[in-house]
Amino acid sequence: MLNKYLLVLMVVGLFTFAACQSNAAPKEAPTDTAPVEEAQAAPTTSAKTADYPFEIVTSFDQLAPIFNRDSDSTYVINFWATWCKPCVEELPYFEQLHDDFSGEKLKVILVSLDFAKDIDRKLVPFVEEHKLRSEVIALLDGQYNNWIDKVDPEWSGAIPVTVLYNAKERKFIGEQFSGYDELSGLVTDLLKT
């Protein structure tokens, strides 16, 4: 009887894990045209507008400069999506980080990988309902296989993923944080460098 329960729990866990993995377009997966079509139907802007409380970019090239800014600040860049449960679970850590380190030279950027068709009906309401204070950028490129390695060669394509860097050090975290203390500890260490 116990073995049946363990088997059921393992299967449910596997499906939950696979949900975020499969939607993140793994590096070796064949290119899917659906995200490309969605990106073409997306709002064509690269700046905040009255319609959106965040920046929308339609090409990774528009986003790329945030990964190599030469300044005395520390950057925390998290890739997430509203459809990714582990991503949503850890968003409060980034918001707390934004608040706790407000006096430091720290910039928290949340890069949404939500699909273009979900911007108005999912992402905007999510950002507004949760009152996200960190900078949010919606990346509607859909060409994951073309730029994942540019973020970090270790990235499998699954989300959540976080890049932390400053002028002296860079860290890539390819998994969900166990808690706020883990994230704030990494940031504290980077701020000391």
Side-chain angles (χ1 to χ4, degrees):
M1 178 84 93
L2 181 60
N3 287 340
K4 286 183 183 180
Y5 288 118
L6 287 175
L7 181 60
V8 169
L9 285 174
M10 288 173 50
V11 169
V12 168
L14 180 62
F15 282 120
T16 302
F17 178 74
C20 285
Q21 293 282 334
S22 65
N23 286 328
K27 279 199 245 186
E28 301 303 319
T31 303
D32 184 4
T33 58
V36 176
E37 292 168 10
E38 290 173 5
Q40 293 169 348
T44 55
T45 182
S46 64
K48 288 184 183 178
T49 66
D51 296 335
Y52 299 101
F54 46 78
E55 184 176 0
I56 295 175
V57 295
T58 56
S59 165
F60 179 78
D61 292 339
Q62 295 171 287
L63 183 71
I66 70 170
F67 293 99
N68 55 21
R69 291 184 175 151
D70 187 21
S71 72
D72 60 348
S73 294
T74 296
Y75 295 88
V76 177
I77 304 165
N78 176 258
F79 285 87
W80 69 290
T82 59
W83 45 257
C84 172
K85 185 178 179 184
C87 301
V88 172
E89 287 174 352
E90 74 177 12
L91 278 179
Y93 307 154
F94 294 99
E95 289 298 278
Q96 185 176 350
L97 190 74
H98 177 271
D99 294 345
D100 289 353
F101 290 85
S102 63
E104 302 286 335
K105 291 187 176 184
L106 178 75
K107 180 80 172 170
V108 179
I109 303 171
L110 305 173
V111 179
S112 167
L113 297 181
D114 281 273
F115 302 112
K117 66 182 177 66
D118 294 331
I119 297 297
D120 290 320
R121 65 187 180 101
K122 289 186 180 176
L123 185 58
V124 170
F126 184 92
V127 169
E128 291 174 347
E129 177 185 332
H130 291 88
K131 297 178 175 71
L132 297 182
R133 296 169 305 285
S134 301
E135 180 179 354
V136 175
I137 300 173
L139 174 59
L140 305 179
D141 181 301
Q143 299 289 322
Y144 313 111
N145 291 335
N146 295 338
W147 53 259
I148 285 174
D149 283 340
K150 293 177 184 177
V151 173
D152 196 281
E154 292 182 32
W155 189 6
S156 69
I159 57 175
V161 157
T162 304
V163 175
L164 302 98
Y165 79 92
N166 60 22
K168 297 179 183 173
E169 193 172 350
R170 178 174 164 50
K171 296 180 182 202
F172 173 78
I173 312 300
E175 58 194 37
Q176 182 179 11
F177 290 100
S178 62
Y180 175 71
D181 291 342
E182 180 185 4
L183 175 59
S184 66
L186 289 168
V187 169
T188 299
D189 290 346
L190 265 180
L191 288 170
K192 291 178 185 176
T193 62

